[in-house]
């Protein structure tokens, strides 16, 4: 008695996890939870939550709500224990449901087909009957018409006449399980990434190298190699502050020696074009302005015979212009020089949209000043020759996103399975007809009403063909 | 400019709406043909505008794949309309029924109207670095084709609910007639907004109706809205009768509802979710990050997964499943527009 009860309970639990009701309930609950996460700010600082709620409610209520929010992890929904639990239930549901149903389906493929009784046929939801006057080779005609439509046809002799089973795409039922399996693969990949992977970032200033990553949780992760940023540049669309592209020129250093990557020492990293080294993936993510000690202004001086002489100077460092006694130095810099309505100069942003330097010349004790703009050739002309401002090097950092995630191959594999599974199960639906041929009478039965319009359309076509051949 | 050409196409879509209504009321074939013709000419002009815009973008980007105009909110709305109208015309041709051309032209009209009324830029913009990827084409086109398929399933589902509701007190009847009334009110409001605009900058949605500065107009608009809901509620059976006269039965509507989802769901999965994840993986270094757009796409996916499971495993049919299809499209709209308008996130290219 006890044992029976226990078995009964076991069965109940099993059926609960195998049920589509649980699946549907999980769809709804996970959706609502996920939606909440897009509305309440997902930031752990209490200020963020309180600020959000105080927009609609009084301060006191907001403070109280914050307590509830942090108790239920509503400010960290996607990483909360209960959301993880929901996803776990989802996975369990998928697994149990497949174990519950798949063996029966596989068994049904192995079963030898048998003639059905009239009672079963008559209980089918769709029935079409037609009477033909020409009865010669009727069996061949019907089966040929069905076979031409891609059906697989078998016959039985029954007292009511010839019974004919026509099947198409019956194996595509398996695709549903492929779809479910693919979701499990994706979840497994995500799990693998959570436990054995990490994400972080590196901000490397032009001209320097770093050998550690700051993870998203704020931890420092040392690398056994260094990444050197030789140069960083942003390209802008013409006459616009919209960046067209930004890229870093990087070198990987192992014990201070540059490594060859794809046959080259320098890697050019751009948005949408990541590169990987030793299992780490590097992405061009951001950039910023950060002047440093080693920053230098790079100029090109055009000598009389158009010989180009590069000149690099530090801030306020005095340098002699070649073949002259004139000294020049950089006394001001603007990354984005603009002119306001009253003609005054001002700096727009720290992005290098329109880099400009204020240069001071010193000739025989006389001082003159001039703005030289990188993008405006007219400003390169000075009383002492043509001086082009090329760049300020060493004043920007490149922001790299770094990731190590062993789950990614599983994610890609699962995604491919998901697409195949969905396409097969939704576009190639199994079709079944049962036909009774009794002298000049042909009766079609369909065991399902799913896609009734399509079935009726197809039956009409088949009937038209049978009748058409008669004429 | 390409957007002026596309506006003309939008005007034709809006003109198609009254033509479809008159056709349904008078049953004159000529008017039916002219309604279809309005949509067809609209599509041709639209395609011409689309090609013009492609050329304008090509002059900036110099890349064929990256010059398909689907890179900001305006272009995506316009592309959605293109897919929707083409999809509807195929359906009309296949089934020979013009019954829900009215609602399709309303959705097209509202979408084109929104491009004017949301204050979004219609100029060709250079691509920001994050969008410079060949995944852009695959991800965005497939997503919008699936949105259009969901829209068609929404229209069919809405009429299906109306067709099979027993009486005026049933929830199904009230739901479907109210949504129809809201859509008619919205399109009228959009038309009046555009007709009464003083200048480009004063444009705002509902500025001439619910959001007007004069309280009188506001009260009038609200009363009109309530009157609309009442009229549709009171005379909703007329629609059912007309549909029956045109031999559009509940089975056909249910079938189209299903087909829209059966077509849209795999495309949405592959284009929206999978390609989106791959692209995010390449550009941002993570395939999934619970960004609002990603999260709402997943919710949309769950709603339609719900529909398919309810229909095939639970054996639900009739109004229950069609209500899920209607809710599914409302969630789709939120995923597409709501997320950009109300929530912030990484998909900011789609914002204004």
């Amino acid at each position: 008695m006890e044992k029976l009860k226990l078995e009964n309970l076991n069965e109940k639990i099993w059926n609960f996890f195998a049920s589509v009701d649980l699946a549907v309930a999980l769809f709804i609950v996970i959706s609502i939870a996920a939606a909440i996460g897009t509305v309440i700010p997902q930031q752990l600082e209490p200020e963020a939550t309180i600020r959000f709620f105080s927009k609609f409610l009084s301060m006191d209520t907001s403070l109280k709500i914050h307590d509830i929010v942090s108790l239920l992890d509503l400010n960290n929904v996607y990483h909360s224990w209960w959301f993880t639990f929901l996803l776990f239930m989802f996975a369990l549901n998928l697994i149990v449901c497949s174990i519950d149903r798949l063996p029966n389906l596989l068994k049904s493929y192995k079963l030898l087909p048998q003639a059905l009784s009239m009672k079963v046929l008559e209980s089918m939801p769709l029935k079409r009957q037609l009477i033909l006057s020409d009865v010669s080779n009727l069996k061949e005609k019907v089966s040929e018409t069905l076979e031409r439509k891609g059906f697989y046809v078998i016959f039985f002799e029954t007292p009511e006449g010839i019974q004919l089973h026509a099947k198409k795409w019956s194996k595509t039922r398996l695709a549903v399980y492929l779809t479910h399996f693919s979701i499990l693969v994706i979840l497994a990949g995500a799990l693998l990434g959570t436990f054995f992977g990490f994400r972080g970032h590196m901000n490397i200033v032009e001209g320097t190298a770093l050998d550690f990553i700051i993870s998203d949780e704020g931890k420092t992760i040392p690398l056994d190699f260094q990444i050197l940023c030789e140069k960083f540049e942003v390209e802008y669309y013409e006459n616009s502050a919209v960046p067209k592209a930004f890229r870093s020129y990087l070198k990987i250093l192992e014990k201070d020696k540059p490594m060859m990557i794809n046959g080259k020492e320098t890697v050019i990293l751009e948005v949408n074009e990541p590169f990987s080294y030793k299992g780490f993936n590097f992405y061009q993510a951001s950039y910023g302005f950060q002047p440093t000690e080693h920053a230098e202004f790079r100029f090109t001086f055009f000598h009389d015979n158009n010989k180009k002489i590069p000149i690099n100077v530090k801030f306020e460092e005095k340098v002699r212009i070649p073949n002259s006694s004139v000294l020049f130095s950089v006394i001001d810099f603007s990354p984005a020089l603009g002119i306001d309505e009253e003609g005054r100069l001002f700096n727009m942003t720290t992005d290098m949209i329109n880099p400009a330097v204020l240069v001071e010349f010193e000739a025989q004790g006389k001082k003159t000043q001039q703005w030289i703009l990188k993008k405006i050739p007219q400003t390169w002309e000075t009383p002492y020759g043509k001086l082009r401002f090329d760049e300020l090097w060493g004043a920007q950092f490149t922001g790299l996103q770094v990731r190590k995630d062993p789950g990614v191959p599983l994610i890609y594999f699962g995604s491919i399975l998901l697409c195949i599974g969905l396409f097969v199960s939704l576009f190639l639906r199994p079709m079944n007809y049962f036909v009774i041929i009794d002298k000049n009478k042909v009766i079609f039965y369909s065991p399902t009403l799913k896609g009734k319009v399509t079935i009726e359309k197809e039956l009409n076509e088949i009937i038209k063909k049978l009748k058409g051949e008669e004429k | 400019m390409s957007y002026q050409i596309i506006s003309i196409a939008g005007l034709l879509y809006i003109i198609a709406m009254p033509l479809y209504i008159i056709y349904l009321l008078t049953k004159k074939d000529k008017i039916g043909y002219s309604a279809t013709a309005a949509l067809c000419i609209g599509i041709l002009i639209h395609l011409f505008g689309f090609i013009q815009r492609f050329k304008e973008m090509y002059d900036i980007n110099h890349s064929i794949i990256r010059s398909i105009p689907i890179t900001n909110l305006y272009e995506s709305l316009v592309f959605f309309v293109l897919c929707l109208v083409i999809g509807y015309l195929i359906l009309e041709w296949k089934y020979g029924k013009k019954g829900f051309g009215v609602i399709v032209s309303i959705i097209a009209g509202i979408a084109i109207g929104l491009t004017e009324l949301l204050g979004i830029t219609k100029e060709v913009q250079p691509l920001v670095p994050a969008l410079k990827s060949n995944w852009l084409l695959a991800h965005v086109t497939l997503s919008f084709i699936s949105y259009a398929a969901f829209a068609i399933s929404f229209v069919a589902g809405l009429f299906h609910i109306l067709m099979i509701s027993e009486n005026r007190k049933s929830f199904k009847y009230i739901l479907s007639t109210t949504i129809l009334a809201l859509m008619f009110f919205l399109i009228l409001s959009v038309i009046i907004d555009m007709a009464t605009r003083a200048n480009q900058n004063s444009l705002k949605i509902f500025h001439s109706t619910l959001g007007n500065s004069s309280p009188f107009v506001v009260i009038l608009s609200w009363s009109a809205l309530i009157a609309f809901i009442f009229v549709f509620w009171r005379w909703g059976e007329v629609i059912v009768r007309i549909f029956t006269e045109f031999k559009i039965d509940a089975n056909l509507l249910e079938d189209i509802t299903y087909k829209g989802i059966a077509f849209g769901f795999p495309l949405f999965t592959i284009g929206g979710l999978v390609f989106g994840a791959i692209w995010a993986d390449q550009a941002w270094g993570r395939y999934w990050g619970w960004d609002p757009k990603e999260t709402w796409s997943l919710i949309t996916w769950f709603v339609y997964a719900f529909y398919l499971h309810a229909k095939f495993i639970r054996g639900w049919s009739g109004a229950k499943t069609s209500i899920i299809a209607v809710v599914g499209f409302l969630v789709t709209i939120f995923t597409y527009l709501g997320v950009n308008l109300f929530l912030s996130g990484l998909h900011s290219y789609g914002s204004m």
Side-chain angles (χ1 to χ4, degrees), chain B residues 168-180:
Chain B
R168 278 193 214 123
K169 279 183 195 137
S170 67
F171 170 71
K172 304 173 233 178
Y173 183 84
I174 296 172
L175 179 83
S176 51
T177 51
T178 308
I179 293 179
L180 282 174

PDB file of all heavy atoms in Angstrom, chain B residues 168-180:
ATOM      1  N   ARG B 168     -22.452  40.151 -27.872  1.00  0.00           N
ATOM      2  CA  ARG B 168     -21.757  41.403 -27.572  1.00  0.00           C
ATOM      3  C   ARG B 168     -21.177  41.442 -26.175  1.00  0.00           C
ATOM      4  O   ARG B 168     -20.400  42.320 -25.858  1.00  0.00           O
ATOM      5  CB  ARG B 168     -22.744  42.568 -27.730  1.00  0.00           C
ATOM      6  CG  ARG B 168     -22.862  42.976 -29.157  1.00  0.00           C
ATOM      7  CD  ARG B 168     -23.571  44.296 -29.250  1.00  0.00           C
ATOM      8  NE  ARG B 168     -24.365  44.286 -30.465  1.00  0.00           N
ATOM      9  CZ  ARG B 168     -25.653  44.486 -30.484  1.00  0.00           C
ATOM     10  NH1 ARG B 168     -26.311  44.738 -29.383  1.00  0.00           N
ATOM     11  NH2 ARG B 168     -26.297  44.455 -31.626  1.00  0.00           N
ATOM     12  N   LYS B 169     -21.616  40.521 -25.340  1.00  0.00           N
ATOM     13  CA  LYS B 169     -21.121  40.570 -23.963  1.00  0.00           C
ATOM     14  C   LYS B 169     -19.851  39.747 -23.805  1.00  0.00           C
ATOM     15  O   LYS B 169     -19.185  39.839 -22.786  1.00  0.00           O
ATOM     16  CB  LYS B 169     -22.197  40.046 -23.008  1.00  0.00           C
ATOM     17  CG  LYS B 169     -23.229  41.104 -22.686  1.00  0.00           C
ATOM     18  CD  LYS B 169     -24.241  40.574 -21.687  1.00  0.00           C
ATOM     19  CE  LYS B 169     -25.453  41.479 -21.655  1.00  0.00           C
ATOM     20  NZ  LYS B 169     -26.686  40.699 -21.626  1.00  0.00           N
ATOM     21  N   SER B 170     -19.525  38.940 -24.803  1.00  0.00           N
ATOM     22  CA  SER B 170     -18.370  38.063 -24.624  1.00  0.00           C
ATOM     23  C   SER B 170     -17.073  38.872 -24.678  1.00  0.00           C
ATOM     24  O   SER B 170     -16.964  39.872 -25.389  1.00  0.00           O
ATOM     25  CB  SER B 170     -18.363  36.965 -25.695  1.00  0.00           C
ATOM     26  OG  SER B 170     -18.132  37.532 -26.949  1.00  0.00           O
ATOM     27  N   PHE B 171     -16.102  38.412 -23.918  1.00  0.00           N
ATOM     28  CA  PHE B 171     -14.798  39.084 -23.837  1.00  0.00           C
ATOM     29  C   PHE B 171     -14.152  39.192 -25.214  1.00  0.00           C
ATOM     30  O   PHE B 171     -13.601  40.224 -25.593  1.00  0.00           O
ATOM     31  CB  PHE B 171     -13.905  38.304 -22.882  1.00  0.00           C
ATOM     32  CG  PHE B 171     -12.472  38.754 -22.887  1.00  0.00           C
ATOM     33  CD1 PHE B 171     -12.116  39.971 -22.335  1.00  0.00           C
ATOM     34  CD2 PHE B 171     -11.484  37.963 -23.459  1.00  0.00           C
ATOM     35  CE1 PHE B 171     -10.805  40.399 -22.337  1.00  0.00           C
ATOM     36  CE2 PHE B 171     -10.160  38.381 -23.475  1.00  0.00           C
ATOM     37  CZ  PHE B 171      -9.828  39.598 -22.912  1.00  0.00           C
ATOM     38  N   LYS B 172     -14.247  38.080 -25.981  1.00  0.00           N
ATOM     39  CA  LYS B 172     -13.648  38.050 -27.320  1.00  0.00           C
ATOM     40  C   LYS B 172     -14.146  39.199 -28.180  1.00  0.00           C
ATOM     41  O   LYS B 172     -13.387  39.899 -28.846  1.00  0.00           O
ATOM     42  CB  LYS B 172     -14.033  36.756 -28.056  1.00  0.00           C
ATOM     43  CG  LYS B 172     -13.702  35.498 -27.357  1.00  0.00           C
ATOM     44  CD  LYS B 172     -14.305  34.329 -28.119  1.00  0.00           C
ATOM     45  CE  LYS B 172     -15.129  33.466 -27.222  1.00  0.00           C
ATOM     46  NZ  LYS B 172     -15.774  32.354 -27.882  1.00  0.00           N
ATOM     47  N   TYR B 173     -15.488  39.375 -28.145  1.00  0.00           N
ATOM     48  CA  TYR B 173     -16.114  40.389 -28.978  1.00  0.00           C
ATOM     49  C   TYR B 173     -15.649  41.777 -28.569  1.00  0.00           C
ATOM     50  O   TYR B 173     -15.262  42.602 -29.397  1.00  0.00           O
ATOM     51  CB  TYR B 173     -17.634  40.269 -28.835  1.00  0.00           C
ATOM     52  CG  TYR B 173     -18.398  41.223 -29.716  1.00  0.00           C
ATOM     53  CD1 TYR B 173     -18.671  40.893 -31.032  1.00  0.00           C
ATOM     54  CD2 TYR B 173     -18.838  42.440 -29.222  1.00  0.00           C
ATOM     55  CE1 TYR B 173     -19.366  41.762 -31.839  1.00  0.00           C
ATOM     56  CE2 TYR B 173     -19.537  43.318 -30.024  1.00  0.00           C
ATOM     57  CZ  TYR B 173     -19.802  42.976 -31.329  1.00  0.00           C
ATOM     58  OH  TYR B 173     -20.482  43.839 -32.125  1.00  0.00           O
ATOM     59  N   ILE B 174     -15.663  42.021 -27.244  1.00  0.00           N
ATOM     60  CA  ILE B 174     -15.268  43.342 -26.752  1.00  0.00           C
ATOM     61  C   ILE B 174     -13.804  43.601 -27.092  1.00  0.00           C
ATOM     62  O   ILE B 174     -13.436  44.679 -27.581  1.00  0.00           O
ATOM     63  CB  ILE B 174     -15.510  43.437 -25.230  1.00  0.00           C
ATOM     64  CG1 ILE B 174     -17.004  43.323 -24.953  1.00  0.00           C
ATOM     65  CG2 ILE B 174     -14.964  44.743 -24.673  1.00  0.00           C
ATOM     66  CD1 ILE B 174     -17.361  43.207 -23.490  1.00  0.00           C
ATOM     67  N   LEU B 175     -12.947  42.592 -26.887  1.00  0.00           N
ATOM     68  CA  LEU B 175     -11.521  42.757 -27.175  1.00  0.00           C
ATOM     69  C   LEU B 175     -11.288  43.112 -28.637  1.00  0.00           C
ATOM     70  O   LEU B 175     -10.626  44.099 -28.967  1.00  0.00           O
ATOM     71  CB  LEU B 175     -10.764  41.472 -26.819  1.00  0.00           C
ATOM     72  CG  LEU B 175      -9.265  41.498 -27.096  1.00  0.00           C
ATOM     73  CD1 LEU B 175      -8.530  42.169 -25.946  1.00  0.00           C
ATOM     74  CD2 LEU B 175      -8.702  40.109 -27.318  1.00  0.00           C
ATOM     75  N   SER B 176     -11.870  42.316 -29.532  1.00  0.00           N
ATOM     76  CA  SER B 176     -11.569  42.529 -30.946  1.00  0.00           C
ATOM     77  C   SER B 176     -12.156  43.842 -31.457  1.00  0.00           C
ATOM     78  O   SER B 176     -11.490  44.567 -32.186  1.00  0.00           O
ATOM     79  CB  SER B 176     -12.050  41.349 -31.789  1.00  0.00           C
ATOM     80  OG  SER B 176     -13.390  41.060 -31.490  1.00  0.00           O
ATOM     81  N   THR B 177     -13.393  44.165 -31.043  1.00  0.00           N
ATOM     82  CA  THR B 177     -13.960  45.422 -31.544  1.00  0.00           C
ATOM     83  C   THR B 177     -13.221  46.616 -30.964  1.00  0.00           C
ATOM     84  O   THR B 177     -13.014  47.613 -31.659  1.00  0.00           O
ATOM     85  CB  THR B 177     -15.463  45.535 -31.208  1.00  0.00           C
ATOM     86  OG1 THR B 177     -15.641  45.288 -29.821  1.00  0.00           O
ATOM     87  CG2 THR B 177     -16.280  44.574 -32.024  1.00  0.00           C
ATOM     88  N   THR B 178     -12.765  46.522 -29.702  1.00  0.00           N
ATOM     89  CA  THR B 178     -12.044  47.656 -29.115  1.00  0.00           C
ATOM     90  C   THR B 178     -10.720  47.881 -29.839  1.00  0.00           C
ATOM     91  O   THR B 178     -10.363  49.031 -30.151  1.00  0.00           O
ATOM     92  CB  THR B 178     -11.774  47.409 -27.613  1.00  0.00           C
ATOM     93  OG1 THR B 178     -12.994  47.063 -26.986  1.00  0.00           O
ATOM     94  CG2 THR B 178     -11.188  48.635 -26.957  1.00  0.00           C
ATOM     95  N   ILE B 179     -10.003  46.794 -30.129  1.00  0.00           N
ATOM     96  CA  ILE B 179      -8.720  46.971 -30.833  1.00  0.00           C
ATOM     97  C   ILE B 179      -8.957  47.574 -32.224  1.00  0.00           C
ATOM     98  O   ILE B 179      -8.250  48.486 -32.653  1.00  0.00           O
ATOM     99  CB  ILE B 179      -7.951  45.629 -30.929  1.00  0.00           C
ATOM    100  CG1 ILE B 179      -7.525  45.190 -29.526  1.00  0.00           C
ATOM    101  CG2 ILE B 179      -6.730  45.772 -31.817  1.00  0.00           C
ATOM    102  CD1 ILE B 179      -6.773  43.873 -29.485  1.00  0.00           C
ATOM    103  N   LEU B 180     -10.010  47.088 -32.916  1.00  0.00           N
ATOM    104  CA  LEU B 180     -10.322  47.655 -34.232  1.00  0.00           C
ATOM    105  C   LEU B 180     -10.627  49.147 -34.113  1.00  0.00           C
ATOM    106  O   LEU B 180     -10.137  49.963 -34.901  1.00  0.00           O
ATOM    107  CB  LEU B 180     -11.519  46.929 -34.845  1.00  0.00           C
ATOM    108  CG  LEU B 180     -11.244  45.560 -35.454  1.00  0.00           C
ATOM    109  CD1 LEU B 180     -12.535  44.902 -35.880  1.00  0.00           C
ATOM    110  CD2 LEU B 180     -10.304  45.691 -36.638  1.00  0.00           C
TER     111      LEU B 180
END
